[in-house]
Amino acid sequence: MSGNVNHKERLSRATLAQAPTSVTTPAYDPAQTRIGIVHIGVGAFHRAHQAAYVDNLLSEHPDWAICGVSLHSVEVRDALQPQDGLYSLLLLGQETQLRVIGSIRELLCAREQQADVLARLADPAVRLVTLTITEKGYCLSGDDLDVAHTDIAHDLASPNTPRSAIGYVTAGLRMRRQLGSAPFTVLSCDNLAGNGHRLRAAVLQYAQRIDAALATWIEAHVAFPCSMVDSITPASDDALRERVHAQLGYLDVWPIQRETYTQWVIENRFCNDRPPFERVGATMSDDIAGYDRAKLRLLNGAHSTLAYLGSLMNIETVVDAMSEPLLARFVERLMRDAIAPAIALPADMDADAYIDAILKRFRNPTIRHRLSQIAWDGSQKLPVRLLSTIADALALDLPIRTLCISIAAWMHFVRRQAHAGVALIDPLNEELSTVGRACKGGTAADVEAFLKLTAVFALLADDRRFTHALQDAYLALGDGTPASIARALAVANNASPTPLPSNG
Ligand code: CS2
């Protein structure tokens, strides 16, 4: 947008001082900070979440600025470099607040600046490497490194010129070992259960194949703490750019927006210095598994459910889905009656209060969070968000009917998109579209075809209690049209005495 806006009007260090007082600007001079963190995956979530925590730290701890690395795309670098790495973050709550974030000191695109990225990873001043590369970036198939993955196959053959995040992290650690310097801590900030364990497994298996002694060294010396990250971050759009331009008075080509609420729980296990994140609102904990489970299974499980059921009902956003009583009630019941009883939550967590807070966040009227954005990468998200809860519920002999409706909704969504000729944003798009196209709609054979997708259903495909419940749920959703989804939700909602949400 704003192609006609003069370049002089661009947000930058030079124009920062003229920002209106209503805008919060860095409490430090961004030119005086030093890089201590390399972050891989400088997408909206990193810029909404971790970079904002670091921004709050830099006035007292200026040596923890971030070098933001995109593996393939030049877009973020090219957008933010002319702005000296500065960008705006709009916080959406009862009151909105506009901040300018200055914590990203340097932006690199690994595909074009490989030597620079490797030099940063080798630099002893970098004591922490963080990642938001999404579920698929881990290149794992089950618990094993996917050696057939194009980027992993490439990196195994040429480990000094990697392409994958796993390849870069390992190359960095390899240089540290060769130079005799301390390793950096590797901190995953992705929505994955046990994200640090997953990352460690991928790096170790990869290192084992290129250099067994390196793998032993990593095992002994490198920490991969887990972390739980939470803040709803709708994609940026032209409306946001215009709003920010009007308030800031300068053009920011890539502002970010998120809800005011934010949470970051970090396992306190580092192998090098760490930023004092607890001073800026993060929780350092010895065991984050319970928080992790609560967030992924309740919030993200509910989100994915709304995404697929809501899309089938032709609803556009989370807040719109929550104002459809059938959906709002279904998702509340799902969390209270099906998910919470099946999972081990932190001892000090009040599940009902946590669920109330999630429902309130979903109803935030200032956020237009598109269901289509949440629907991305379903093949990667469902195992973490919903299928693992089904496995836990089965182990406890709890009912799984409601949970299976969420999975069945995804299947109908895949089928609908395939029949409409719309590609899915999903690494398994090809396989899913083939299965989706072959589906008749509403027949038991459809479910069997889906269950053959082992990357998604490996955990449960042989459990007859699950396959039967999934058949029932899929058939209950009829032909997946809005009317049949509404009918199925009405039936499902009446099957339990849970009262209607208060809508408060
Ligand atoms: C969402 C998440 O897009 C999605 O899949 O469920 O991005 C969600 O908004 C965040 O995890 C909230 O912390």
Side-chain angles (χ1 to χ4, degrees), residues 103-169:
S103 54
I104 304 188
R105 183 86 171 78
E106 176 179 58
L107 287 137
L108 299 174
C109 168
R111 184 165 52 79
E112 291 189 352
Q113 295 162 286
Q114 181 154 67
D116 296 333
V117 174
L118 291 172
R120 279 284 172 220
L121 291 170
D123 179 358
V126 168
R127 289 148 290 159
L128 178 61
V129 172
T130 54
L131 300 96
T132 43
I133 50 176
T134 78
E135 296 87 347
K136 55 184 177 280
Y138 291 73
C139 305
L140 284 162
S141 162
D143 289 334
D144 295 326
L145 183 71
D146 182 3
V147 289
H149 189 289
T150 334
D151 288 348
I152 295 293
H154 168 274
D155 293 0
L156 286 170
S158 331
N160 294 329
T161 53
R163 281 186 193 156
S164 69
I166 303 303
Y168 271 102
V169 167

Side-chain angles (χ1 to χ4, degrees), residues 191 229-232 295 299-300 303 369 374 381 385:
N191 264 328
V229 293
D230 192 7
S231 198
I232 291 174
K295 193 266 171 171
L299 186 148
N300 294 116
H303 243 178
H369 195 190
I374 304 169
K381 291 175 177 173
R385 299 176 173 202

